[in-house]
Protein backbone atom coordinates (compact mmCIF):
# COMPACT_ATOMS: atom_id res chain seq x y z
CA UNK A 1 0.00 0.00 0.00
CA UNK A 2 1.07 3.55 -0.49
CA UNK A 3 2.42 4.37 2.96
CA UNK A 4 4.60 7.27 1.92
CA UNK A 5 4.13 10.90 1.04
CA UNK A 6 6.83 13.02 -0.47
CA UNK A 7 8.12 16.42 0.35
CA UNK A 8 6.66 19.08 -1.79
CA UNK A 9 7.17 21.49 -4.56
CA UNK A 10 10.97 21.82 -4.75
CA UNK A 11 11.34 18.06 -4.83
CA UNK A 12 8.37 17.64 -7.16
CA UNK A 13 9.91 20.08 -9.63
CA UNK A 14 13.17 18.22 -9.49
CA UNK A 15 11.44 14.85 -9.91
CA UNK A 16 12.67 13.51 -6.56
CA UNK A 17 11.39 13.58 -2.98
CA UNK A 18 12.15 12.56 0.56
CA UNK A 19 9.74 9.96 1.91
CA UNK A 20 7.60 10.61 4.97
CA UNK A 21 5.28 8.09 6.60
CA UNK A 22 1.61 9.02 6.25
CA UNK A 23 1.13 8.16 9.88
CA UNK A 24 3.71 10.79 10.83
CA UNK A 25 2.45 13.53 8.56
CA UNK A 26 0.22 15.06 11.20
CA UNK A 27 2.58 14.80 14.17
CA UNK A 28 4.30 18.19 13.75
CA UNK A 29 3.10 21.60 14.87
CA UNK A 30 -0.04 22.71 13.03
CA UNK A 31 0.25 26.06 11.30
CA UNK A 32 -2.20 28.61 12.67
CA UNK A 33 -4.75 29.79 10.08
CA UNK A 34 -4.81 33.48 9.23
CA UNK A 35 -6.51 35.55 11.94
CA UNK A 36 -6.96 32.50 14.15
CA UNK A 37 -9.98 31.38 12.11
CA UNK A 38 -10.24 27.72 11.20
CA UNK A 39 -10.06 27.29 7.44
CA UNK A 40 -12.35 24.79 5.75
CA UNK A 41 -11.29 23.10 2.52
CA UNK A 42 -13.88 21.19 0.51
CA UNK A 43 -12.55 18.24 -1.52
CA UNK A 44 -14.74 16.46 -4.09
CA UNK A 45 -13.04 13.38 -5.58
CA UNK A 46 -14.06 11.72 -8.83
CA UNK A 47 -15.60 8.98 -6.69
CA UNK A 48 -15.20 7.88 -3.10
CA UNK A 49 -14.95 4.10 -3.52
CA UNK A 50 -11.99 3.79 -5.86
CA UNK A 51 -8.52 3.01 -4.40
CA UNK A 52 -6.98 5.82 -6.47
CA UNK A 53 -9.15 8.39 -4.72
CA UNK A 54 -8.88 6.61 -1.37
CA UNK A 55 -5.11 7.02 -1.68
CA UNK A 56 -5.65 10.67 -2.58
CA UNK A 57 -7.84 11.07 0.51
CA UNK A 58 -5.05 9.68 2.72
CA UNK A 59 -2.63 12.30 1.42
CA UNK A 60 -5.15 15.12 1.70
CA UNK A 61 -6.19 14.23 5.26
CA UNK A 62 -2.60 13.93 6.46
CA UNK A 63 -1.76 17.38 5.08
CA UNK A 64 -4.94 18.95 6.47
CA UNK A 65 -4.15 17.56 9.92
CA UNK A 66 -0.61 18.87 9.71
CA UNK A 67 -1.73 22.37 8.70
CA UNK A 68 -4.59 22.54 11.20
CA UNK A 69 -7.36 23.01 8.63
CA UNK A 70 -10.75 21.32 8.41
CA UNK A 71 -11.11 19.03 5.39
CA UNK A 72 -14.55 18.11 4.08
CA UNK A 73 -14.04 15.06 1.83
CA UNK A 74 -17.38 14.46 0.09
CA UNK A 75 -18.32 12.79 -3.16
CA UNK A 76 -20.36 10.21 -5.04
CA UNK A 77 -19.74 6.47 -5.17
CA UNK A 78 -19.88 6.52 -9.00
CA UNK A 79 -17.80 8.50 -11.51
CA UNK A 80 -20.43 10.76 -13.07
CA UNK A 81 -20.84 14.55 -13.50
CA UNK A 82 -24.54 14.33 -12.66
CA UNK A 83 -23.68 12.66 -9.35
CA UNK A 84 -20.64 14.83 -8.63
CA UNK A 85 -22.33 18.21 -9.18
CA UNK A 86 -24.57 18.14 -6.05
CA UNK A 87 -21.52 17.69 -3.83
CA UNK A 88 -19.78 20.68 -5.41
CA UNK A 89 -22.98 22.73 -5.06
CA UNK A 90 -23.37 21.73 -1.42
CA UNK A 91 -19.84 22.70 -0.43
CA UNK A 92 -20.17 26.04 -2.23
CA UNK A 93 -23.48 26.73 -0.46
CA UNK A 94 -21.83 25.98 2.90
CA UNK A 95 -19.18 28.58 2.21
CA UNK A 96 -15.98 26.56 2.23
CA UNK A 97 -12.79 28.60 2.27
CA UNK A 98 -11.36 26.77 -0.76
CA UNK A 99 -12.48 23.97 -3.05
CA UNK A 100 -10.57 21.08 -4.59
CA UNK A 101 -12.28 19.01 -7.30
CA UNK A 102 -11.36 16.02 -9.47
CA UNK A 103 -13.80 16.84 -12.31
CA UNK A 104 -15.59 13.87 -13.87
CA UNK A 105 -16.14 15.72 -17.16
CA UNK A 106 -14.10 18.52 -18.70
CA UNK A 107 -17.12 20.47 -19.93
CA UNK A 108 -20.05 19.42 -17.73
CA UNK A 109 -18.26 20.42 -14.53
CA UNK A 110 -17.55 24.00 -15.65
CA UNK A 111 -20.90 25.50 -14.47
CA UNK A 112 -20.74 24.08 -10.92
CA UNK A 113 -17.12 25.14 -10.55
CA UNK A 114 -17.99 28.60 -11.84
CA UNK A 115 -20.57 28.80 -9.03
CA UNK A 116 -17.67 28.48 -6.60
CA UNK A 117 -15.50 31.04 -8.35
CA UNK A 118 -18.23 33.71 -8.47
CA UNK A 119 -18.28 34.14 -4.65
CA UNK A 120 -14.44 34.15 -4.72
CA UNK A 121 -13.82 30.63 -3.48
CA UNK A 122 -10.44 29.58 -4.92
CA UNK A 123 -10.65 26.32 -6.87
CA UNK A 124 -7.94 23.75 -7.57
CA UNK A 125 -8.43 20.70 -9.78
CA UNK A 126 -6.63 17.47 -9.09
CA UNK A 127 -6.14 14.45 -11.36
CA UNK A 128 -8.56 15.52 -14.09
CA UNK A 129 -9.54 19.11 -14.91
CA UNK A 130 -11.97 21.31 -16.86
CA UNK A 131 -11.57 23.03 -20.21
CA UNK A 132 -11.81 26.54 -18.74
CA UNK A 133 -8.46 26.85 -16.96
CA UNK A 134 -9.07 30.54 -16.23
CA UNK A 135 -11.44 29.52 -13.42
CA UNK A 136 -8.69 27.66 -11.58
CA UNK A 137 -5.85 28.65 -9.28
CA UNK A 138 -3.93 25.44 -9.97
CA UNK A 139 -4.17 22.12 -11.82
CA UNK A 140 -2.41 19.13 -10.27
CA UNK A 141 -2.16 15.91 -12.23
CA UNK A 142 0.12 13.18 -13.50
CA UNK A 143 2.08 13.31 -16.73
CA UNK A 144 -0.68 11.62 -18.69
CA UNK A 145 0.66 12.27 -22.19
CA UNK A 146 4.03 10.92 -21.11
CA UNK A 147 2.33 7.94 -19.45
CA UNK A 148 0.56 7.12 -22.69
CA UNK A 149 3.87 7.30 -24.54
CA UNK A 150 5.48 5.00 -21.96
CA UNK A 151 2.60 2.53 -22.32
CA UNK A 152 3.00 2.44 -26.11
CA UNK A 153 6.76 1.91 -25.95
CA UNK A 154 6.39 -0.89 -23.38
CA UNK A 155 3.58 -2.59 -25.28
CA UNK A 156 5.47 -2.36 -28.57
CA UNK A 157 8.49 -4.02 -27.03
CA UNK A 158 6.42 -6.76 -25.41
CA UNK A 159 4.73 -7.72 -28.68
CA UNK A 160 7.99 -7.70 -30.61
CA UNK A 161 7.11 -4.53 -32.53
CA UNK A 162 4.62 -6.42 -34.66
CA UNK A 163 0.86 -7.00 -34.58
CA UNK A 164 -2.45 -5.24 -33.92
CA UNK A 165 -3.16 -3.10 -30.85
CA UNK A 166 -6.22 -1.28 -29.50
CA UNK A 167 -7.25 0.96 -26.61
CA UNK A 168 -9.94 0.41 -24.00
CA UNK A 169 -11.05 3.54 -22.13
CA UNK A 170 -14.00 4.56 -19.92
CA UNK A 171 -15.58 7.45 -21.87
CA UNK A 172 -14.82 10.59 -23.86
CA UNK A 173 -14.66 13.86 -21.91
CA UNK A 174 -12.21 12.79 -19.18
CA UNK A 175 -9.09 14.93 -19.57
CA UNK A 176 -6.66 12.42 -18.06
CA UNK A 177 -7.74 9.55 -20.29
CA UNK A 178 -7.76 11.79 -23.36
CA UNK A 179 -4.16 12.81 -22.67
CA UNK A 180 -3.10 9.18 -22.17
CA UNK A 181 -4.70 8.25 -25.49
CA UNK A 182 -2.97 11.18 -27.19
CA UNK A 183 0.43 10.06 -25.94
CA UNK A 184 -0.15 6.40 -26.76
CA UNK A 185 -1.37 7.01 -30.31
CA UNK A 186 1.49 9.41 -31.13
CA UNK A 187 4.06 6.87 -29.92
CA UNK A 188 2.52 3.67 -31.31
CA UNK A 189 2.37 5.17 -34.81
CA UNK A 190 6.16 5.32 -34.81
CA UNK A 191 6.31 1.54 -35.21
CA UNK A 192 5.66 0.63 -38.86
CA UNK A 193 4.77 -3.00 -38.21
CA UNK A 194 2.18 -2.30 -35.52
CA UNK A 195 -1.39 -1.69 -36.63
CA UNK A 196 -3.46 0.52 -34.34
CA UNK A 197 -7.21 -0.11 -34.73
CA UNK A 198 -8.68 2.56 -32.44
CA UNK A 199 -10.51 3.07 -29.14
CA UNK A 200 -13.42 1.24 -27.56
CA UNK A 201 -15.29 2.85 -24.65
CA UNK A 202 -16.54 0.68 -21.78
CA UNK A 203 -18.45 3.36 -19.82
CA UNK A 204 -16.58 2.48 -16.62
CA UNK A 205 -18.17 -1.00 -16.65
CA UNK A 206 -16.01 -4.03 -16.06
CA UNK A 207 -18.38 -6.43 -17.84
CA UNK A 208 -18.57 -4.18 -20.89
CA UNK A 209 -14.79 -3.93 -21.02
CA UNK A 210 -14.62 -7.74 -20.92
CA UNK A 211 -17.07 -8.01 -23.82
CA UNK A 212 -15.16 -5.41 -25.83
CA UNK A 213 -11.90 -7.32 -25.31
CA UNK A 214 -13.53 -10.50 -26.59
CA UNK A 215 -14.89 -8.61 -29.60
CA UNK A 216 -11.41 -7.28 -30.36
CA UNK A 217 -10.03 -10.83 -30.35
CA UNK A 218 -12.86 -11.98 -32.63
CA UNK A 219 -12.54 -9.16 -35.17
CA UNK A 220 -8.75 -8.83 -35.15
CA UNK A 221 -7.10 -12.27 -35.42
CA UNK A 222 -3.65 -10.69 -35.10
CA UNK A 223 -4.50 -8.74 -31.93
CA UNK A 224 -1.30 -8.59 -29.89
CA UNK A 225 -1.91 -5.91 -27.29
CA UNK A 226 -4.38 -3.67 -25.48
CA UNK A 227 -3.72 -0.38 -23.72
CA UNK A 228 -6.23 0.10 -20.88
CA UNK A 229 -6.40 3.73 -19.76
CA UNK A 230 -7.81 2.98 -16.30
CA UNK A 231 -8.33 0.17 -13.82
CA UNK A 232 -11.85 -0.81 -14.92
CA UNK A 233 -10.74 -1.14 -18.53
CA UNK A 234 -7.72 -3.15 -17.41
CA UNK A 235 -9.57 -5.61 -15.19
CA UNK A 236 -12.34 -6.01 -17.75
CA UNK A 237 -9.85 -6.61 -20.55
CA UNK A 238 -8.03 -9.24 -18.49
CA UNK A 239 -11.34 -11.02 -17.78
CA UNK A 240 -12.37 -10.91 -21.44
CA UNK A 241 -9.05 -12.28 -22.62
CA UNK A 242 -9.28 -15.15 -20.12
CA UNK A 243 -12.69 -16.06 -21.52
CA UNK A 244 -11.31 -15.87 -25.06
CA UNK A 245 -8.36 -18.10 -24.14
CA UNK A 246 -5.88 -15.27 -24.80
CA UNK A 247 -4.77 -14.39 -21.27
CA UNK A 248 -1.05 -13.61 -21.31
CA UNK A 249 -0.91 -14.09 -25.09
CA UNK A 250 -2.48 -10.71 -25.83
CA UNK A 251 -0.50 -8.27 -23.71
CA UNK A 252 -2.21 -5.64 -21.55
CA UNK A 253 -0.45 -2.48 -20.45
CA UNK A 254 -2.65 -0.51 -18.10
CA UNK A 255 -2.83 2.72 -16.16
CA UNK A 256 -2.96 2.83 -12.34
CA UNK A 257 -1.94 0.42 -9.59
CA UNK A 258 -5.20 -0.69 -8.04
CA UNK A 259 -4.91 -3.88 -5.95
CA UNK A 260 -6.75 -5.92 -8.61
CA UNK A 261 -4.37 -4.64 -11.28
CA UNK A 262 -1.33 -5.47 -9.16
CA UNK A 263 -2.75 -8.97 -8.72
CA UNK A 264 -3.08 -9.17 -12.51
CA UNK A 265 0.55 -8.12 -12.83
CA UNK A 266 1.55 -10.89 -10.44
CA UNK A 267 -0.42 -13.61 -12.24
CA UNK A 268 0.67 -12.50 -15.72
CA UNK A 269 -2.70 -11.35 -17.07
CA UNK A 270 -1.41 -7.76 -17.11
CA UNK A 271 2.07 -7.07 -18.47
CA UNK A 272 2.87 -3.62 -17.04
CA UNK A 273 1.28 -0.79 -15.08
CA UNK A 274 1.71 2.97 -15.29
CA UNK A 275 1.27 3.95 -11.64
CA UNK A 276 0.35 7.46 -10.53
CA UNK A 277 0.95 9.18 -7.18
CA UNK A 278 -2.54 10.06 -5.91
CA UNK A 279 -1.53 10.60 -2.28
CA UNK A 280 0.97 13.25 -3.34
CA UNK A 281 -1.67 14.89 -5.54
CA UNK A 282 -4.05 15.10 -2.57
CA UNK A 283 -1.36 16.37 -0.22
CA UNK A 284 -0.17 19.06 -2.61
CA UNK A 285 -3.72 20.22 -3.40
CA UNK A 286 -4.44 20.83 0.29
CA UNK A 287 -1.08 22.58 0.71
CA UNK A 288 -1.82 24.86 -2.24
CA UNK A 289 -5.32 25.64 -0.97
CA UNK A 290 -3.80 26.62 2.37
CA UNK A 291 -1.20 28.80 0.67
CA UNK A 292 -3.91 30.61 -1.30
CA UNK A 293 -5.82 31.32 1.91
CA UNK A 294 -2.86 32.49 3.97
CA UNK A 295 -1.22 35.07 1.72
CA UNK A 296 1.24 32.75 0.00
CA UNK A 297 -0.33 32.65 -3.47
CA UNK A 298 3.05 33.19 -5.12
CA UNK A 299 4.08 29.75 -3.88
CA UNK A 300 1.25 28.10 -5.85
CA UNK A 301 2.21 26.82 -9.28
CA UNK A 302 -0.62 27.08 -11.83
CA UNK A 303 0.18 23.64 -13.24
CA UNK A 304 1.89 20.66 -11.60
CA UNK A 305 2.56 17.43 -13.45
CA UNK A 306 3.85 14.48 -11.42
CA UNK A 307 5.86 11.76 -13.09
CA UNK A 308 4.58 8.17 -13.22
CA UNK A 309 6.18 4.93 -12.06
CA UNK A 310 6.30 1.95 -14.42
CA UNK A 311 5.61 -1.33 -12.62
CA UNK A 312 6.28 -4.82 -13.94
CA UNK A 313 6.82 -8.22 -12.37
CA UNK A 314 10.56 -7.65 -12.18
CA UNK A 315 10.43 -4.42 -10.16
CA UNK A 316 7.15 -4.82 -8.27
CA UNK A 317 8.70 -6.01 -4.99
CA UNK A 318 10.85 -2.88 -4.81
CA UNK A 319 7.93 -0.57 -5.62
CA UNK A 320 5.10 -1.82 -3.43
CA UNK A 321 4.65 1.66 -1.97
CA UNK A 322 2.98 2.75 -5.21
CA UNK A 323 0.13 0.25 -4.93
CA UNK A 324 -3.09 2.16 -4.20
CA UNK A 325 -4.81 1.98 -0.83
CA UNK A 326 -8.20 0.51 0.00
CA UNK A 327 -8.56 2.49 3.24
CA UNK A 328 -7.49 6.13 3.92
Amino acid sequence: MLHRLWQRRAAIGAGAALALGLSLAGCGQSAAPAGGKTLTIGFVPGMTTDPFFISMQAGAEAEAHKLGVKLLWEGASQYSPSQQTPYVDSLVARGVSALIVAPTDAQAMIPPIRQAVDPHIPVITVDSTINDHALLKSRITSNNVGGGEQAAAILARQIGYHGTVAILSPAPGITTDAARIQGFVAQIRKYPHIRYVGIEYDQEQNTKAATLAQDLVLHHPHLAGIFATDDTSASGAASGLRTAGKAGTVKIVAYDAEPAEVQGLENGSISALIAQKPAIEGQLAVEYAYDLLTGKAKAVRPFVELQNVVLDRANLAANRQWEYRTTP
Side-chain angles (χ1 to χ4, degrees):
M1 296 299 175
L2 192 127
H3 295 300
R4 309 182 77 84
L5 290 174
W6 298 75
Q7 303 225 346
R8 18 197 173 305
R9 66 179 67 82
I12 290 170
L18 296 175
L20 292 175
L22 273 172
S23 61
L24 300 178
C27 294
Q29 280 291 67
S30 294
K37 179 184 176 182
T38 300
L39 302 174
T40 301
I41 298 173
F43 202 132
V44 183
M47 59 192 299
T48 57
T49 55
D50 187 274
F52 175 87
F53 290 110
I54 292 171
S55 299
M56 185 178 288
Q57 180 181 2
E61 288 181 345
E63 187 69 8
H65 182 69
K66 179 181 130 182
L67 295 174
V69 301
K70 183 177 182 180
L71 182 70
L72 299 178
W73 178 275
E74 299 182 6
S77 60
Q78 294 185 342
Y79 197 93
S80 160
S82 64
Q83 295 199 34
Q84 185 178 51
T85 295
Y87 291 96
V88 175
D89 292 345
S90 174
L91 289 169
V92 171
R94 286 145 65 188
V96 293
S97 308
L99 182 65
I100 302 166
V101 185
T104 51
D105 187 276
Q107 194 62 35
M109 292 308 298
I110 291 176
I113 287 176
R114 185 178 287 117
Q115 293 299 313
V117 173
D118 287 346
H120 306 293
I121 298 172
V123 180
I124 295 168
T125 58
V126 65
D127 184 40
S128 51
T129 191
I130 54 174
N131 291 333
D132 190 351
H133 296 169
L135 294 174
L136 308 174
K137 296 297 184 182
S138 182
R139 295 175 289 130
I140 301 169
T141 189
S142 299
N143 184 350
N144 290 292
V145 172
E149 292 170 345
Q150 287 175 301
I154 294 166
L155 187 59
R157 183 172 66 252
Q158 290 183 343
I159 66 174
Y161 302 97
H162 190 278
T164 299
V165 300
I167 296 175
L168 286 182
S169 190
I174 303 170
T175 56
T176 49
D177 292 87
R180 295 164 196 170
I181 291 166
Q182 176 189 336
F184 181 88
V185 172
Q187 182 67 30
I188 207 71
R189 284 177 172 163
K190 295 179 181 180
Y191 308 110
H193 301 296
I194 295 178
R195 180 180 172 228
Y196 167 61
V197 294
I199 309 164
E200 299 288 345
Y201 292 107
D202 53 51
Q203 305 305 318
E204 199 78 27
Q205 296 176 24
N206 189 284
T207 54
K208 185 167 185 179
T211 299
L212 289 171
Q214 292 175 61
D215 289 344
L216 286 169
V217 170
L218 180 64
H219 293 104
H220 301 286
H222 300 292
L223 184 71
I226 293 173
F227 172 43
T229 69
D230 84 338
D231 62 297
T232 303
S233 301
S235 299
S239 176
L241 292 181
R242 280 195 298 272
T243 301
K246 294 290 186 178
T249 303
V250 175
K251 305 299 183 182
I252 298 173
V253 174
Y255 235 86
D256 291 316
E258 309 262 350
E261 291 179 292
V262 172
Q263 184 179 4
L265 192 64
E266 291 174 319
N267 65 31
S269 60
I270 293 176
S271 302
L273 298 173
I274 311 297
Q276 302 182 80
K277 301 171 182 177
I280 299 178
E281 292 185 33
Q283 173 236 332
L284 185 59
V286 171
E287 179 192 341
Y288 273 10
Y290 181 84
D291 287 346
L292 290 167
L293 296 169
T294 55
K296 294 180 281 187
K298 288 185 178 179
V300 176
R301 293 163 58 190
F303 181 59
V304 177
E305 193 172 63
L306 301 175
Q307 297 306 307
N308 306 295
V309 179
V310 176
L311 302 179
D312 57 28
R313 293 180 75 177
N315 72 9
L316 179 60
N319 288 282
R320 279 285 181 177
Q321 72 267 30
W322 301 116
E323 183 177 353
Y324 301 169
R325 301 167 65 102
T326 55
T327 57

